[in-house]
Amino acid sequence: ASNPSVVIARAPARHAGVDLWMANLTLPDNHIYSQALVAVAATGKDPNTSLPTKEFNMSMAGSQECNKVCPRLAPQGTLTNAGPYKKIDRLESSNIVDLWPDFSCKTWRTLEMSFFSDAIQRQVNVKARLPAASQENTAARPSNEMPPIIFRLNSEWYWPHPVEVYDVWHSLMVNGEMEPFVVAEVYIQGLNFSS
């Protein structure tokens, strides 16, 4: 199902190694060959049994320790506290899905840098728009799981509102409709459309 509000299967994750947790989900056969969204839901531990709970214990969210890690965790429930959704285009009889979850604790950010290019003899300024997921979860991942980079040369000529555009794209990334990616806007000083 591609509707994140419909939960078809859930399973607790078990610790399988440093920075590695595993969960096995079993789905009804009528979902084979269909699309699915997978996410990791934030849960807590029952204070009496130390066992994981199905729903997130919001009393934990108010704690100083929790707010230090995730200041934006909301009280809306499990759906909000699920990390970005990963879309699976076709469920087979068996799928392995690798996830690097985050819980929207951070927003995307802009990293600015500048350098002088000897090749073109001009100052070059770069603004990189970084998705929140890779900032929050910095666990090592293979290069094919790193966000790709889109370069926009003198993007102010074509995209006059880059912050608003990336806001929309980032919301699509968090909802699993787009894979996370970085946008690097390259501005070459003294260069305009009539140069």
Side-chain angles (χ1 to χ4, degrees):
S2 56
N3 180 349
S5 63
V6 176
V7 178
I8 297 169
R10 70 170 65 211
R14 66 186 187 288
H15 192 241
V18 177
D19 292 330
L20 178 63
W21 292 77
M22 297 177 74
N24 294 320
L25 296 172
T26 304
L27 301 167
D29 288 342
N30 63 322
H31 293 288
I32 198 162
Y33 309 128
S34 65
Q35 283 188 340
L37 291 174
V38 179
V40 176
T43 62
K45 287 188 177 178
D46 185 313
N48 300 320
T49 65
S50 293
L51 295 173
T53 58
K54 260 190 181 181
E55 302 296 325
F56 186 72
N57 181 352
M58 282 315 297
S59 65
M60 291 171 49
S63 72
Q64 189 175 19
E65 182 183 14
C66 189
N67 282 331
K68 190 180 194 181
V69 175
C70 196
R72 296 181 59 229
L73 195 60
Q76 286 86 355
T78 304
L79 183 62
T80 306
N81 299 327
Y85 296 97
K86 172 119 179 174
K87 184 179 274 186
I88 301 167
D89 287 324
R90 184 179 163 95
L91 289 172
E92 302 291 343
S93 57
S94 177
N95 291 77
I96 295 175
V97 180
D98 295 318
L99 299 172
W100 277 261
D102 73 273
F103 298 99
S104 302
C105 294
K106 299 181 185 296
T107 59
W108 65 271
R109 72 183 181 108
T110 300
L111 178 65
E112 295 187 31
M113 60 204 86
S114 184
F115 62 92
F116 183 80
S117 170
D118 289 329
I120 62 172
Q121 292 295 302
R122 292 183 188 268
Q123 190 68 25
V124 178
N125 301 313
V126 180
K127 290 184 179 182
R129 315 279 179 198
L130 308 173
S134 54
Q135 296 174 62
E136 183 181 329
N137 186 340
T138 58
R141 60 190 84 193
S143 60
N144 67 323
E145 292 290 341
M146 297 295 288
I149 302 171
I150 296 174
F151 288 91
R152 290 175 158 181
L153 301 176
N154 282 85
S155 61
E156 72 275 16
W157 301 345
Y158 308 103
W159 297 280
H161 307 289
V163 171
E164 290 85 352
V165 170
Y166 200 78
D167 266 336
V168 171
W169 287 345
H170 194 261
S171 67
L172 294 170
M173 293 176 207
V174 171
N175 291 327
E177 297 300 320
M178 291 178 85
E179 292 292 325
F181 60 91
V182 174
V183 172
E185 298 162 6
V186 181
Y187 301 95
I188 301 170
Q189 284 186 358
L191 184 66
N192 60 42
F193 63 91
S194 62
S195 296

